[in-house]
Amino acid sequence: QVQLVESGGGLVQAGGSLRLSCAASERTFSGYAMGWFRQAPGKEREFVAAISWYGGVTDYADSLKGRFIISRDNAKNTVYLQMNSLKPEDTAIYYCGAVPTPRVWNSPGAYEYWGQGTQVTVSS
């Protein structure tokens, strides 16, 4: 099974930045698209961003365009989420997911593998 581990979360002041990482054990997600989702207390898991295997196609939630950037380094088996201009409403647990050859990738049900999540807390 693919093993994914998120890191980089923490406490940050509003307006600040964080970069999250999602590392795969060995090269187990070769050929997979990767996505970031987040879940706040009392809310459903929501789409943040996704990226194709080669990195040539990316997608973002409309409300996050211009603030968040997804990227990947396949040589390091790692996908990143750069988060800028953070707001208190960005506070959530952020999860990394993996799915082969997706045609729809903004729904959590499309993903086959998930990491354990990393907490992001933005203070006002």
Side-chain angles (χ1 to χ4, degrees), residues 75-112:
K76 297 181 178 180
N77 303 314
T78 302
V79 62
Y80 304 95
L81 183 69
Q82 178 67 45
M83 306 186 295
N84 301 315
S85 301
L86 284 164
K87 305 174 182 179
E89 52 263 45
D90 294 320
T91 296
I93 300 175
Y94 283 71
Y95 297 92
C96 177
V99 57
T101 59
R103 302 187 72 179
V104 176
W105 60 6
N106 62 353
S107 173
Y111 289 76
E112 295 186 358

Side-chain angles (χ1 to χ4, degrees), residues 22-45:
C22 175
S25 299
E26 302 175 350
R27 301 176 69 180
T28 52
F29 67 89
S30 178
Y32 280 52
M34 303 293 295
W36 285 98
F37 290 75
R38 67 187 185 184
Q39 189 164 22
K43 296 185 178 180
E44 296 183 349
R45 189 168 298 189

Side-chain angles (χ1 to χ4, degrees), residues 37-91:
F37 290 75
R38 67 187 185 184
Q39 189 164 22
K43 296 185 178 180
E44 296 183 349
R45 189 168 298 189
E46 67 175 348
F47 174 70
V48 173
I51 187 167
S52 62
W53 165 246
Y54 292 107
V57 181
T58 58
D59 193 24
Y60 299 89
D62 288 341
S63 63
L64 303 178
K65 291 180 180 178
R67 292 199 298 124
F68 288 14
I69 302 171
I70 189 170
S71 62
R72 69 191 301 167
D73 185 342
N74 290 342
K76 297 181 178 180
N77 303 314
T78 302
V79 62
Y80 304 95
L81 183 69
Q82 178 67 45
M83 306 186 295
N84 301 315
S85 301
L86 284 164
K87 305 174 182 179
E89 52 263 45
D90 294 320
T91 296

